[in-house]
Amino acid sequence: MKEGISQSTSAFWLKSPTAWLAYIFAWLAFSSGFTTIFLLTSRPSLATAICASLQIVLPAAVLGIGVIWSCRYMPLPTNKSLRFLGAHILLAIIYPSLWIITVVVIASIIALAQQGHWIFSLPPDHITHWHFFAGSMIYFALASVTYTIDGVARSEARRRQAEIWMLRARLNPHFLFNTLHSLLALVRYDPDAADSALEQFAGMFRYALRVNQNSLEEVTLLEEWNFTRDYLALERLRLGERLRLETNISEQALTCLIPAFLLQPLVENAIRYAVAPRAEGGTIWVYASCEAHYLTVTVKDDGPGTTSPEALTSSGVGLQVAREQLAAYYGGSAKIEIAKDLSKGFAVTASIPIRE
């Protein structure tokens, strides 16, 4: 979680096409200002004016990327810091200086190519002073926007973390109550099976403890499946042959990341409503595959099902937490779907963007 917060700015700029389009558009607008000035003062052709403006603006835009990266390595201090302020004042001097020198070097290279001799001279003082002032303002504007985006991303990350902990606070007591209830039943009627069940429960508890202690938001499907498999083994000790399981999980799917504690509540729901109440028990299918950049995980049962429309918006703890987890992690890019034809069992499918 800490890594996700500390790298929020770089992740935004590196992974957001919208951010880069906005960045390019802003510089194109700046370049159009220079083009207009050239057309009004020197009256060159439009192509010449555009080339001249790009010759000035393009170096500033490229150097601006360095400003964004420098902000990444100098996060906002938690208290007043003269070192932080001094570093940015120094960079606000270096940025326009490099901009002016780069523009002069490019002009010299163009002159060398066109006229056959090297010309290196700074522009008149008033133009140099204007470029230096404008460059400093551009630096502080880029730094301000970058830190603003970083602040918004940090706030969103903290809000999401708070939501996740609230969800887990609701889920963990629910899970522990049901599991301990099963263990108590085994202790009364089958002490030997209870010993095995306690071993399974210890494995599950170690996983839950590791996730909570390390503030893990996501785990591999393999880790979540091992946790769920321990839970299934515990339930099989209680239900015996009444609980039947079939799986089809691809190797690629096992390496993908999913929210911790997503799969087990879905399996628990299937056992609770489709297997445990029926004398003949039931079968649970767990499928997982990777298709079109999405990890698809399905938990299906052959229980009595329902034709009730309320099932499609079930407020059960397991389904509700699963929905809210996906919304908190991925926004609208992940979803939970319930099969619309519920007359022959129940099927829940989670579609999650693939992240390995």
Side-chain angles (χ1 to χ4, degrees):
M1 183 64 198
K2 293 178 181 178
E3 182 180 358
I5 293 177
S6 64
Q7 297 183 359
S8 55
T9 301
S10 60
F12 177 83
W13 285 104
L14 289 175
K15 298 180 181 180
S16 173
T18 303
W20 283 114
L21 286 174
Y23 185 80
I24 293 170
F25 179 79
W27 283 110
L28 288 176
F30 189 53
S31 178
S32 67
F34 276 98
T35 302
T36 302
I37 292 173
F38 291 144
L39 289 173
L40 294 176
T41 56
S42 304
R43 297 186 181 279
S45 65
L46 179 61
T48 302
I50 291 175
C51 290
S53 66
L54 289 177
Q55 177 183 330
I56 295 173
V57 173
L58 188 58
V62 174
L63 290 170
I65 298 174
V67 175
I68 294 170
W69 279 96
S70 68
C71 292
R72 175 197 179 192
Y73 291 106
M74 290 191 299
L76 282 171
T78 55
N79 50 16
K80 296 179 180 179
S81 173
L82 292 177
R83 180 181 298 179
F84 175 82
L85 180 61
H88 277 292
I89 292 175
L90 179 61
L91 289 173
I93 295 172
I94 294 174
Y95 174 80
S97 301
L98 289 176
W99 180 25
I100 294 169
I101 292 171
T102 304
V103 170
V104 172
V105 169
I106 292 174
S108 301
I109 293 173
I110 293 174
L112 178 64
Q114 293 177 346
Q115 303 174 21
H117 59 276
W118 179 267
I119 301 174
F120 185 88
S121 62
L122 292 174
D125 288 346
H126 68 282
I127 295 179
T128 301
H129 294 161
W130 184 90
H131 275 277
F132 192 89
F133 173 77
S136 297
M137 294 300 99
I138 290 171
Y139 175 87
F140 284 118
L142 285 172
S144 298
V145 170
T146 302
Y147 283 125
T148 299
I149 292 172
D150 181 68
V152 172
R154 286 169 182 265
S155 298
E156 177 62 22
R158 292 191 179 99
R159 182 193 65 79
R160 186 182 68 176
Q161 186 182 41
E163 287 183 357
I164 296 304
W165 283 108
M166 289 176 64
L167 292 173
R168 289 180 181 175
R170 291 164 53 194
L171 179 62
N172 288 343
H174 172 83
F175 157 71
L176 288 173
F177 175 81
N178 288 346
T179 305
L180 289 174
H181 179 76
S182 299
L183 285 173
L184 286 173
L186 283 173
V187 168
R188 293 173 183 172
Y189 302 109
D190 194 342
D192 293 334
D195 288 339
S196 299
L198 285 171
E199 292 181 9
Q200 302 294 339
F201 180 71
M204 297 178 69
F205 189 77
R206 281 193 297 270
Y207 171 83
L209 192 63
R210 183 175 70 87
V211 168
N212 288 326
Q213 283 185 337
N214 295 292
S215 300
L216 299 179
E217 291 186 356
E218 294 175 306
V219 296
T220 63
L221 179 60
L222 175 61
E223 293 174 291
E224 182 72 6
W225 172 238
N226 287 338
F227 171 69
T228 305
R229 193 164 50 187
D230 282 340
Y231 170 76
L232 285 165
L234 189 154
E235 288 295 277
R236 185 172 282 111
L237 288 171
R238 179 171 68 93
L239 298 171
E241 296 302 320
R242 293 168 57 208
L243 172 59
R244 297 176 290 276
L245 175 69
E246 294 188 20
T247 62
N248 186 2
I249 302 175
S250 71
E251 292 293 329
Q252 183 184 1
L254 290 173
T255 66
C256 296
L257 296 176
I258 67 169
F261 306 118
L262 178 73
L263 179 58
Q264 184 273 332
L266 300 181
V267 172
E268 182 180 344
N269 269 3
I271 292 176
R272 182 179 180 184
Y273 295 107
V275 179
R278 301 159 64 200
E280 70 277 19
T283 302
I284 295 175
W285 291 267
V286 179
Y287 304 129
S289 62
C290 299
E291 300 175 2
H293 308 296
Y294 276 82
L295 168 66
T296 302
V297 179
T298 299
V299 176
K300 180 182 176 182
D301 62 64
D302 62 352
T306 178
T307 57
S308 171
E310 284 77 9
L312 301 179
T313 56
S314 172
S315 59
V317 173
L319 279 175
Q320 186 177 0
V321 169
R323 287 195 188 97
E324 293 176 1
Q325 271 189 304
L326 293 184
Y329 284 122
Y330 310 104
S333 60
K335 58 184 177 180
I336 286 274
E337 292 181 320
I338 300 175
K340 293 183 179 180
D341 182 9
L342 304 178
S343 59
K344 296 182 179 179
F346 205 80
V348 181
T349 299
S351 298
I352 305 168
I354 289 178
R355 293 197 293 179
E356 297 184 351

